[in-house]
Structure formats: structure tokens, C-alpha cells
Amino acid sequence: MVMSKRRNSKKVLFISAIVLILSTLLLGCTNESKENSTSNKDNKDMLTLAWPRDIGEMNPHVYNPSQLFATSMIYEPLVSYQDGGKLKPHLAESWEISKDGKEYTFNLRQDVKFSDGTSFNAEIVKKNFDTILKNVDLHSWLGFITKVDQTEVIDQNTFKLTLKEPYYPTIQELAVVRPVRFLGDAGFPKDGDTSKGVTKPVGTGPWILEEYKADEYAIFKRNENYWGELPKVKKIKVKVIPDAETRVLAFEKGDLDLIYGEGAISLDAFKQLETTGNYETSISDPVATRQLVMNTKKEQLSDLRVRQALQYGFNKKAMVDGVTSGLEEKADFILPTNFPYTSDIDVTAIDYNVEKAKALLDEAGWKLPKGKNVREKDGKPLEIELMYDSAESIQKAMAETLQSEWAALGVKLNIVGVELTVQIERFKANDFELNFFSNYGAPYDPHTFVNVVGSEGFGFNEAISSYPNRDELLKQIADVPGTTDEKERQELYSTILESLQDQGAIVPISYIKKIAVYQKDVSDFTFPANRDEHPFTGISIEK
Amino acid sequence: MGTYILKRIMAIIPIFLLATLLTFGMIHLSPVDPAEAYLSAAHIQSTDEILAQKRHEFGLDQPLHVQYVNSIIKICQFDFGISYLSNKPVWEEVTYRMPATIQLALGSIILAILVSVPLGFLAGIKKNSVIDHFSRLLSFFGASIPSFWLGYLLIFFFSVKLDLFPVEGIGTWQHLVLPSVTLALPLIALYTRLLRASVLENLQEPYVLFARTRGIHEKVIMGKHVLRIAISPMITGLGMNLGKLLTGTIIVEAVFSWPGFGRYFIEAIFNRDVPVIQCYVLLAAGLFIFSNLIVDLIQMCIDPRISRKGGQRQ
């Protein structure tokens, strides 16, 4: 017995020794750092990036499962959305809008060819519009589609769009990635209905889809006959890597040149990559505002003073900086100010002020009873529920911050995590008290956001029902799209946005931004102004 | 034997019906509307018109029982419907991704057998030896580590740091190594312990003693008799796990960007792509049933006692 025990303990020692040696070996490996970050070596002139999803079918006229950025590499719009919300000519060289705001005449560029060599002209523009208009219901979210009266070919290079009623955002909506981008004739199926699929992804854009393996990768090659600025790299490989941590590991190994997008990697991973100093990182301008929506239909939130108290009662900057590690920026306006008509909004600034918050709540009749920590009014406690998307860690962390900050005011915040689709559904059904929301971003706003606020069935319309000026506000919202005078339009937008914000039901929290990390040999990476597109024309690699 | 197999195959029908009913019920209990999920995946605003159009297109505007019966009739004709998301036949999408998943599952099962049979066997016949301790350590490790974490660790050490294997993707045999190991480790943990216990148990059996007294060589006793009988519980375990293995690939496929069926299924769940979910559940159910059947048949071949009733030939 004694012998075998001793033998056993010897063996245990031996095994522990081996484990120790092995683990130090592994640990030793972690200290070894690469001198220089290098891009993948397999192909010169090829930029490799990762994307969480398969790029899908490259059909410019449908939605799922094709990925917007990939569609924007192949297909182009008539009008392009640029920095500061400027709408620049793209496939259309210029356009004229009739006085009544109903007729749009586009002069098309004459030097544009599709990637198969056929020329881009008014005929093909009309053909694309007509196939899109066959599915009006599917595209009805895009305002101008439902208002199109007719499409006409005036001559080889002139195309005319006639609307049933004036709708000013038409030009801006023509910049979206789908469905109004142009497929070459060879891409149309026999029956001409692209909603069922395209035969070949033929576009006018800077890239041509060269190789595609579903769920694995897609390789785009440069369109040598591109009419615009020729891309600097010859090929772009999009690797499908669904897992964010794996993307980071593949990037660290040098398999990837670039990772970019909204939430493409975790905040921690981004910070960690940034601090190594081995890589380049960049953050875009605001693409949307993260908002907190208060449902004024609920009794406790129907009082403006309560809504204001809640805004005074949390340190927005500290929360945004803390939760997002500085990747998002504290927002002062419900729409980012780099969008059209949003730069000149005059609202009352609300700064962190706990005393003022408490005073407002007292004034509103919500008093703190002795010995309790939740305020009450007529025996009812001040209890509010906040709904957040359980898959989004930022929303969750912000909800928790608000919970603790408002607890200090005597407000009990219950936070409820739900699936994104449930969040949308409950918001639309007005079944919420507080909810996170974010606007659509460029090139959809401000008109899409304002329209959603004004229309029934999206959540906002009901949520702002306690606003004293609600009817007037809804009328102004309804009037905006039909305006033909630039000055009048700007005034309307200013009034609407100021009023929405001052009444305190829509609270700007932070500006959402895109992030990018790339290897040191990648240069001239920029974020396009359009949230959905990425034509990769300027980017280059030095190998 | 023939009637036995036939009986087992007939049992599949009620199980299939139950599986489809359960999935159908559960999908409809979920508060998420597939049409809404489709639009949110498309990044477009959901107006009532589009929602109504999509619901009609997906057949969701029909009464529930009609939807269920229709889907069953179609499935019987091997038509799993059209994926809501990609607008392509589900069966086409599934068969496209199936080979990758099978490759991964087979790779890991072969690896599991190659490691656990010798390890479990040696651990059993040499109780408390170094090998036994090692197998115990490996089993604890393999049984307790979550597979996604193991996957990241393997990538970090063997791919990023040591540059021995690719981080992710499919193609060469090197691509297969890390995901297979990730998937195989819990199996190795399980089977090694199973086989060890079974070997130990068999060593106490009288037949071992008799064989030894008959002077049969120790190697023959162990290899030909003990292993052959002791391996039986492990094969049962393997059969039970074959179905689980295929479903277990989901996480591993996501971590290693393996373009298989599991990843496709996960996305289908998030997008409430009902036809895909149904197809997956049916396939998984079918796989569980068939793998159990096959295991039973293998057992009969290895250990003829099973096919005899009460020790008598049928």
C-alpha cells in the first residue's frame, strides 16, 4: 500500500511537471510578437476583407440575402450621396426638376458602359425602372416609388421621370443602394422580371464579380473599362467569417487586410488592436443617432417635466464614453448634423443636473415618501420599463447605466431585453414605455425619419400623442415632402426637429459610427457618406 | 432480423410527425413574425403593405392547420419549400452545404475513435498508470471546456502564434484539423472513460480468468476477447452521439467559418426562415433514428448474443 501510494505520488508529480512544461511553452509563444504586421501574402494587388455574411445574390432589385456593400461595388445610382448630404451627379450628369416638382429630367452620362461592353442609356434606365415598378408593394418603403406616374425615354441620353405629386426627396432617394440601381440588359431574365433573380450580375460599377463560393468567399476584379476613377487595387476578396472573434484572430494572423463596418468587431477587440500599435484604425463620421424614445401615451411619461427630469438625471457623456469606450460620441441632436437640413437646429441644451431633475419631479407631483427610495404620486410608484435589444451589448449596458442613475432620483427603471424583431413589433404596437431606436442614416434621412414619426403604425406617431402641438407637428411633417421651395423646406425641418426634441419624447443619446481596422500597408481607406455603400475605389495596398 | 429492421423503419413515421408538429408549434409560439424578421434582415422599413405582401408570399395568411397540413404534404414529396430569405429551394441550399458538415463530422468521429480506443483501452488494462492519469486529465478537460472557447484557444495557439494551421475556412486537410479537434475532444473525453470503465468491468469477468488458466497469451485475451466485448457500450454511445455530432457542428462551424449546414441553420433561426428550420429538424430527427439503427446492427455483428433471444438462436 505504502509503496503504491509513493509510486502514485511520483506519477502525479511527473504529470504535473509535464503539464507545467507544456503550459510554459504555450505561454512563451504568446510573448512572441510580430515585428511588423503584414498582409496576406498569397496575392499581390488583392485586398482581403472579412464580412459576417455571405454576399448573397448580386441582384440590385431585391433585398435579401444580398449585402448592400457588395451590391454597391457592382451597381451604380443616377445620383450619389456625398459628405454633408450633398447630392452629386453620378450616372446622371445633371438633372432638371420642373417648377411644379413633378417632372424630373435626367441627362445621362454618355461615356458609361456596362461591364459586358454594352452601353448605358435611357432605354436601359427605363427598363430597370419598369421592372422595379412591377413590384411597387415590395418597394413601397421608398417614398418616391409609390408616386411614380410614368417613365419616359426622351432620347438616347435623356430620361424623364414623372410623379403623381411633388415629392422633394426623390433625388436623394435615387442614391440608395437598392432597388434603384442599374442592371445591364444581359442580366435580365427572359420574362424581364428581376424580382425572381438575375441571369448575370452586369453593372456599371468599378467592380466585377469574378468568383463566388457561397458561404466561403467572393472575389471582385477591377472593371478595367470603368468610366470613373479606376480602383487602385486589382482585386478584392471578401471572406465570409461569421464570428467576430475569429475575424479578429484572422486579422491578427495577417489573413485579412481590412475589417470594417458597424459593430464588425467587439469594442474590446477594437481597443486591443488599437493599443498594439501594429495596425491602423479609423472611426467614421456619425451614421445615425442612437435615441431613447419615451412613450408619452403612458401616464407617468405624459408629463413634460418627468421627461425632462429623466434627461437631466443622467450623465450622458460619461455613459456614452464609458459604454462605448469612446467609439460613439455623445449626441446633442436627434439626427446627426451632417445630414441634409439638420445642421441648423436650435434646441434647449439639457446638461446633467441631478438637483434640477429632482426639483422637476417634485414639481410634477412625484414625491419621495419618507423611508422609501421610489417616488410616488397618489400612492403609485414611479416605475418605468425600458425595452432593449438583448443581442446588442451597448443597449444593454446603457440600460443598466440608466437604471442606476435614475434610481438615485427615486425612479425605478425595469429593463427588459427582447429579440430585435420583438422590439420592432412592440414599438410599432405602442406596447412599450421606453425604447431604444436609431434613425436610418444616409441617404434616407431626414425625410424617412420624419415620415416615420408622422405615419401611424410605426410607433412614434402614438408615442408623441401627449405633445400639445401634435396636430400641428403632424401637418408640418405631412407638408415637407411636397415642398418645392428650399427655404420653406429648411424652416419646416427646423421647426419639426426642434419641437420633437424640446418636447422630450425623443432623446438623442449618441452618434453611431462605423469602425475600421486595417494593416499598416493599406492606405487611403475612407468611409463613404452613404451608410450602405462601399465602392472601394481609393483604397490601396503597398506590398 | 428483417422484420426487426422493418419495424424500426416503420417507427420513423410517428417520430417524424411528432417532430414536425413540435417544430411547427414552437415556431408559431415565438412572438416573432417571419415577415418582420425578413424585413429587418433586409434593412428596410416595414410598412404594412410590404408586411402583408410578404405574409401572403410565405403563406402565413392561411389558418395554422392549413399551413401545417400543406407543409406535411409537401415534405412527403420531398419538397421542403422555398427559403424565405434566399428565395431558393431549401433542399438545394441544404444539399449544397451538407458535404462540408459531413466532412467535419466524419473527421472528428474518426479522430475520436483513433484517440479514445487505444487510450481508453490502455487506461483500463493499466489502471493508475501514467496513461490512466493522462486519460483522466484529458477527459476532465474535454468534458468541461466549452467548444467555442476551445476553438478560440486552438486558433490562437496553433494558427495565430505557431502558424501551423489556417485560422478559418475550408479546402485542404489542414483546414480540417482544428475544427475536428474542437469537435472531437468532448467525444474523446466521453469514450475514453466509457471504454476504460467497460474494460475494467470485463477484466473481472470469469472468462478472463478461464482464458488465463487455459494459458492463452495475455495479448490475445485482451485484444481478441476483452476489447471486443468492452467496446460495445462505446459503440452505443457513438450511435447516440452521431446525431448530436451533426447538430454540435453549429458552434464549431461558426467559430471556424466552416461553410456547413449548421451555420446556415443558425442564420435561419435568427431570420425565422421557417422552411429551413423545419428541414433541419427533420433531417436531425432522421439522422438520430438511422444512426441508432445502424449502431444496433453493428452491435449484432460484433456481439451475436444480442440477436439471440434468451441465449437461443432465433
Side-chain angles (χ1 to χ4, degrees):
Chain A
M1 257 324 256
V2 180
M3 273 296 284
S4 78
K5 253 191 187 165
R6 189 176 293 164
R7 235 185 17 227
N8 273 349
S9 63
K10 256 189 183 171
K11 272 166 202 161
V12 171
L13 201 74
F14 174 64
I15 289 166
S16 338
I18 286 184
V19 170
L20 260 174
I21 292 167
L22 280 176
S23 46
T24 38
L25 263 179
L26 289 178
L27 277 177
C29 307
T30 60
N31 294 334
E32 167 212 56
S33 68
K34 280 178 190 162
E35 297 278 299
N36 266 317
S37 66
T38 43
S39 305
N40 70 331
K41 315 102 197 164
D42 57 353
N43 213 328
K44 243 186 130 201
D45 292 327
M46 180 154 87
L47 180 91
T48 308
L49 64 109
W51 197 253
R53 237 160 259 113
D54 183 64
I55 62 158
E57 192 201 14
M58 288 292 97
N59 181 344
H61 301 153
V62 297
Y63 302 95
N64 280 324
S66 57
Q67 299 298 301
L68 290 156
F69 87 95
T71 313
S72 80
M73 289 167 74
I74 300 179
Y75 303 104
E76 294 185 300
L78 289 177
V79 180
S80 115
Y81 183 97
Q82 295 297 331
D83 285 332
K86 290 196 180 65
L87 297 162
K88 297 262 173 77
H90 203 77
L91 289 181
E93 217 162 32
S94 62
W95 55 85
E96 289 113 45
I97 306 170
S98 66
K99 273 244 164 74
D100 62 358
K102 284 189 191 170
E103 287 173 18
Y104 288 74
T105 313
F106 296 92
N107 303 308
L108 308 176
R109 287 192 74 96
Q110 298 182 18
D111 53 348
V112 179
K113 291 243 183 302
F114 281 98
S115 57
D116 63 350
T118 53
S119 51
F120 170 81
N121 53 38
E123 289 287 343
I124 196 75
V125 171
K126 182 173 160 53
K127 190 170 180 178
N128 274 274
F129 265 100
D130 290 349
T131 187
I132 294 161
L133 291 170
K134 269 184 206 154
N135 296 291
V136 174
D137 279 346
L138 181 62
H139 308 302
S140 59
W141 63 277
L142 195 63
F144 90 92
I145 294 277
T146 54
K147 300 186 170 58
V148 174
D149 188 29
Q150 57 171 332
T151 54
E152 276 169 87
V153 175
I154 303 293
D155 62 43
Q156 183 75 7
N157 295 303
T158 317
F159 171 76
K160 190 166 141 193
L161 189 70
T162 312
L163 303 182
K164 293 173 203 150
E165 55 188 90
Y167 182 72
Y168 100 83
T170 303
I171 292 293
Q172 198 178 331
E173 289 187 347
L174 283 171
V176 301
V177 171
R178 56 202 173 184
V180 276
R181 293 203 173 190
F182 302 94
L183 175 73
D185 202 34
F188 281 81
K190 270 202 184 115
D191 61 357
D193 184 5
T194 51
S195 70
K196 302 278 181 295
V198 298
T199 49
K200 233 162 89 185
V202 184
T204 58
W207 301 96
I208 300 170
L209 183 63
E210 187 185 47
E211 206 183 324
Y212 167 65
K213 270 199 113 168
D215 278 359
E216 288 181 52
Y217 63 86
I219 296 175
F220 294 87
K221 70 169 185 206
R222 178 164 84 183
N223 178 0
E224 299 294 342
N225 300 317
Y226 184 53
W227 60 272
E229 182 199 351
L230 200 64
K232 293 203 180 88
V233 287
K234 285 192 178 138
K235 285 184 179 186
I236 286 185
K237 182 175 184 178
V238 180
K239 274 193 176 186
V240 184
I241 305 182
D243 187 90
E245 298 309 319
T246 311
R247 284 198 283 278
V248 174
L249 290 165
F251 178 77
E252 283 187 291
K253 199 188 170 201
D255 286 353
L256 301 173
D257 299 308
L258 165 73
I259 308 179
Y260 87 98
E262 283 165 53
I265 57 176
S266 68
L267 300 175
D268 290 339
F270 184 82
K271 282 283 150 192
Q272 184 238 322
L273 290 175
E274 194 178 33
T275 47
T276 61
N278 293 332
Y279 314 104
E280 299 287 330
T281 55
S282 88
I283 303 177
S284 75
D285 288 336
V287 295
T289 306
R290 195 183 287 284
Q291 307 161 343
L292 187 71
V293 185
M294 302 194 185
N295 189 352
T296 65
K297 223 175 179 176
K298 301 287 168 183
E299 206 193 324
Q300 67 276 43
L301 293 169
S302 60
D303 190 329
L304 174 63
R305 288 169 296 192
V306 175
R307 300 198 295 267
Q308 281 177 338
L310 293 176
Q311 291 197 50
Y312 279 115
F314 75 101
N315 188 341
K316 198 193 283 181
K317 186 164 187 335
M319 177 175 89
V320 173
D321 287 349
V323 170
T324 69
S325 321
L327 292 194
E328 288 184 10
E329 183 191 330
K330 172 191 154 219
D332 293 323
F333 299 96
I334 53 181
L335 290 181
T337 50
N338 54 349
F339 287 1
Y341 310 109
T342 59
S343 57
D344 189 23
I345 306 296
D346 184 24
V347 289
T348 323
I350 294 190
D351 295 318
Y352 181 46
N353 188 340
V354 177
E355 290 319 308
K356 191 156 188 186
K358 285 180 178 166
L360 278 166
L361 286 173
D362 284 335
E363 205 185 305
W366 294 97
K367 307 263 191 223
L368 198 60
K370 271 218 164 94
K372 289 194 179 171
N373 43 22
V374 178
R375 283 170 190 269
E376 284 177 11
K377 184 179 177 181
D378 307 329
K380 269 170 75 185
L382 185 48
E383 211 173 316
I384 310 169
E385 186 187 276
L386 167 61
M387 175 166 72
Y388 67 90
D389 174 4
S390 53
E392 234 207 85
S393 55
I394 292 181
Q395 281 189 18
K396 180 162 187 261
M398 286 185 172
E400 286 162 354
T401 313
L402 290 174
Q403 192 177 38
S404 72
E405 293 249 55
W406 288 344
L409 300 180
V411 178
K412 185 163 188 267
L413 184 70
N414 302 316
I415 57 175
V416 184
V418 293
E419 248 185 274
L420 174 65
T421 27
V422 176
Q423 190 184 23
I424 298 171
E425 277 171 7
R426 279 187 57 185
F427 185 52
K428 286 168 68 169
N430 199 250
D431 175 21
F432 76 101
E433 290 175 353
L434 292 178
N435 184 28
F436 284 110
F437 184 85
S438 71
N439 64 293
Y440 304 92
Y444 308 104
D445 288 327
H447 64 277
T448 312
F449 174 71
V450 166
N451 177 47
V452 159
V453 173
S455 316
E456 273 174 42
F458 285 109
F460 277 112
N461 186 296
E462 296 77 8
I464 59 165
S465 55
S466 298
Y467 277 25
N469 60 341
R470 177 172 178 266
D471 293 336
E472 192 194 339
L473 195 58
L474 292 183
K475 194 184 168 297
Q476 287 165 339
I477 290 174
D479 286 345
V480 164
T483 50
T484 47
D485 179 50
E486 191 78 14
K487 207 171 151 233
E488 182 197 351
R489 192 179 303 149
Q490 176 65 63
E491 274 167 15
L492 273 173
Y493 269 123
S494 300
T495 327
I496 295 167
L497 291 171
E498 282 160 16
S499 172
L500 278 177
Q501 188 165 345
D502 280 338
Q503 291 284 334
I506 305 171
V507 185
I509 300 283
S510 62
Y511 294 130
I512 299 172
K513 297 175 173 192
K514 287 186 187 185
I515 52 164
V517 284
Y518 42 97
Q519 308 283 359
K520 287 226 152 124
D521 51 13
V522 174
S523 49
D524 301 317
F525 175 84
T526 49
F527 291 102
N530 184 332
R531 188 181 189 179
D532 293 338
E533 70 180 11
H534 212 125
F536 297 107
T537 40
I539 197 165
S540 61
I541 320 181
E542 289 162 38
K543 298 249 178 177
Chain B
M1 184 114 162
T3 43
Y4 173 75
I5 296 174
L6 194 70
K7 259 191 204 162
R8 290 289 299 264
I9 290 174
M10 293 300 281
I12 291 173
I13 297 169
I15 294 176
F16 265 16
L17 278 178
L18 198 68
T20 50
L21 194 64
L22 272 178
T23 9
F24 189 80
M26 284 206 268
I27 291 167
H28 286 275
L29 277 179
S30 145
V32 177
D33 174 3
E36 190 82 62
Y38 176 91
L39 298 179
S40 114
H43 295 277
I44 55 177
Q45 252 177 292
S46 51
T47 60
D48 288 341
E49 296 89 55
I50 313 180
L51 277 177
Q53 197 213 355
K54 278 288 157 197
R55 279 193 200 114
H56 177 71
E57 196 183 310
F58 298 159
L60 297 169
D61 48 355
Q62 291 168 328
L64 278 187
H65 63 275
V66 177
Q67 287 183 41
Y68 178 66
V69 172
N70 280 348
S71 71
I72 291 293
I73 292 172
K74 277 188 174 166
I75 286 168
C76 291
Q77 299 159 340
F78 251 75
D79 174 5
F80 289 94
I82 307 284
S83 157
Y84 291 171
L85 199 71
S86 71
N87 217 0
K88 284 186 188 148
V90 173
W91 189 241
E92 213 174 83
E93 297 268 34
V94 166
T95 42
Y96 177 81
R97 289 165 175 86
M98 215 45 177
T101 300
I102 291 173
Q103 190 188 351
L104 182 59
L106 276 183
S108 58
I109 221 157
I110 290 169
L111 189 69
I113 293 171
L114 283 181
V115 176
S116 56
V117 170
L119 196 62
F121 182 59
L122 288 176
I125 57 175
K126 293 189 175 157
K127 198 180 163 190
N128 288 333
S129 65
V130 179
I131 273 210
D132 192 18
H133 289 307
F134 174 72
S135 84
R136 190 170 294 140
L137 197 77
L138 189 73
S139 300
F140 284 145
F141 185 67
S144 46
I145 193 164
S147 52
F148 72 91
W149 177 238
L150 177 67
Y152 291 146
L153 286 181
L154 290 176
I155 295 178
F156 186 70
F157 288 123
F158 293 101
S159 181
V160 178
K161 293 300 170 190
L162 298 176
D163 201 9
L164 295 174
F165 300 104
V167 176
E168 47 78 45
I170 186 172
T172 60
W173 66 268
Q174 284 102 324
H175 285 96
L176 189 61
V177 175
L178 296 185
S180 298
V181 171
T182 312
L183 205 53
L185 199 68
L187 299 180
I188 292 173
L190 181 69
Y191 298 147
T192 309
R193 299 312 285 173
L194 261 178
L195 187 60
R196 176 185 177 272
S198 172
V199 166
L200 281 175
E201 200 180 300
N202 269 283
L203 286 177
Q204 308 296 323
E205 294 283 321
Y207 76 87
V208 177
L209 187 67
F210 296 150
R212 277 184 181 143
T213 49
R214 275 162 64 206
I216 296 176
H217 201 279
E218 195 68 15
K219 271 185 187 161
V220 179
I221 303 176
M222 295 301 157
K224 210 171 162 195
H225 302 284
V226 174
L227 180 61
R228 190 164 160 190
I229 295 170
I231 209 160
S232 159
M234 187 180 144
I235 291 174
T236 314
L238 204 68
M240 283 164 68
N241 273 310
L242 202 66
K244 231 165 144 184
L245 191 67
L246 224 54
T247 47
T249 56
I250 292 174
I251 291 168
V252 177
E253 281 180 7
V255 169
F256 290 95
S257 311
W258 194 263
F261 184 31
R263 233 173 82 187
Y264 181 63
F265 174 59
I266 280 291
E267 227 172 293
I269 292 183
F270 282 119
N271 296 316
R272 293 298 189 276
D273 201 337
V274 181
V276 177
I277 301 175
Q278 252 174 353
C279 179
Y280 187 86
V281 172
L282 273 183
L283 280 181
L287 197 77
F288 268 94
I289 298 165
F290 276 111
S291 57
N292 278 322
L293 180 65
I294 287 165
V295 165
D296 285 353
L297 295 178
I298 293 176
Q299 294 272 30
M300 281 184 195
C301 298
I302 292 185
D303 190 349
R305 288 177 301 180
I306 294 172
S307 55
R308 290 179 214 157
K309 264 187 191 157
Q312 298 198 341
R313 277 182 188 279
Q314 268 182 327

